[in-house]
Each structure stands twice: as C-alpha cells, then as structure tokens.
Amino acid sequence: MVKIRLTRTGRHNDPSYRIVVADSHYARDGRNIATIGIYDPAKGVDGATIDEALALQWLNNGAAPTDTVRAILSAKGIMTKFAAEKGKK
C-alpha cells in the first residue's frame, strides 16, 4: 500500500520532515517514491510547503495519507480540493 507520510531530517533536538510518498513496507527514513513537500514543526502547519499538484495526483491514484499528513493537507486546503474532485466523478 502506498502512503503519504513524513520522513525525519534535521539535527538532534531540531527535527524537520519531508512529506514523501512511500510504500508502507519501507522503513520510515528509507526508500521513497516521491518527495512532495517539507514540514518544519517549529514553523507550524502554516510553514509547511507542499506541491499541491503532486499531492492531488497521488491522492487520486489511491495513496493514503497518515493522520499527521492528513491534518497538514487539510490545513492547506488540499483535502477539500481532493473531496471536490472526487465528488465530480
């Protein structure tokens, strides 16, 4: 199963994360299929940057976001756009 999830980067006690598309069998910081954004908890959800077109493409292809990524996508309005696109079909 393909998931949209966070992979950790950054220094000790100063984490930052990449938002990636990866097979659920891969390790958290292991192989990934695509990188679609970054998230820095120090800047909050508003500081996250996401490639909206890639995120929507992967959601339409069946990738399932984790709870944290779903919250980030919802805050950015991407989940609303995904639901609207899905409703049109």
Side-chain angles (χ1 to χ4, degrees), residues 6 15-19 36-51 71-78:
L6 300 174
S16 61
Y17 298 90
R18 289 187 185 127
I19 302 170
I36 62 172
I38 57 171
Y39 168 60
D40 185 359
K43 295 179 183 174
V45 175
D46 294 332
T49 57
I50 301 173
D51 185 338
I72 294 169
L73 294 176
S74 295
K76 293 291 186 177
I78 295 172

Side-chain angles (χ1 to χ4, degrees), residues 33-80:
I33 300 168
T35 302
I36 62 172
I38 57 171
Y39 168 60
D40 185 359
K43 295 179 183 174
V45 175
D46 294 332
T49 57
I50 301 173
D51 185 338
E52 188 175 318
L54 272 177
L56 287 171
Q57 176 187 351
W58 281 105
L59 288 169
N60 285 325
N61 286 338
T66 61
D67 293 338
T68 304
V69 173
R70 181 181 300 274
I72 294 169
L73 294 176
S74 295
K76 293 291 186 177
I78 295 172
M79 291 305 289
T80 306

Side-chain angles (χ1 to χ4, degrees), residues 19-37:
I19 302 170
V20 300
V21 179
D23 191 307
S24 62
H25 295 100
Y26 296 164
R28 178 195 73 183
D29 296 337
R31 222 170 13 169
N32 61 53
I33 300 168
T35 302
I36 62 172

Side-chain angles (χ1 to χ4, degrees), residues 60 80-89:
N60 285 325
T80 306
K81 291 180 183 178
F82 172 63
E85 284 181 11
K86 195 172 181 183
K88 288 182 183 177
K89 291 182 181 178

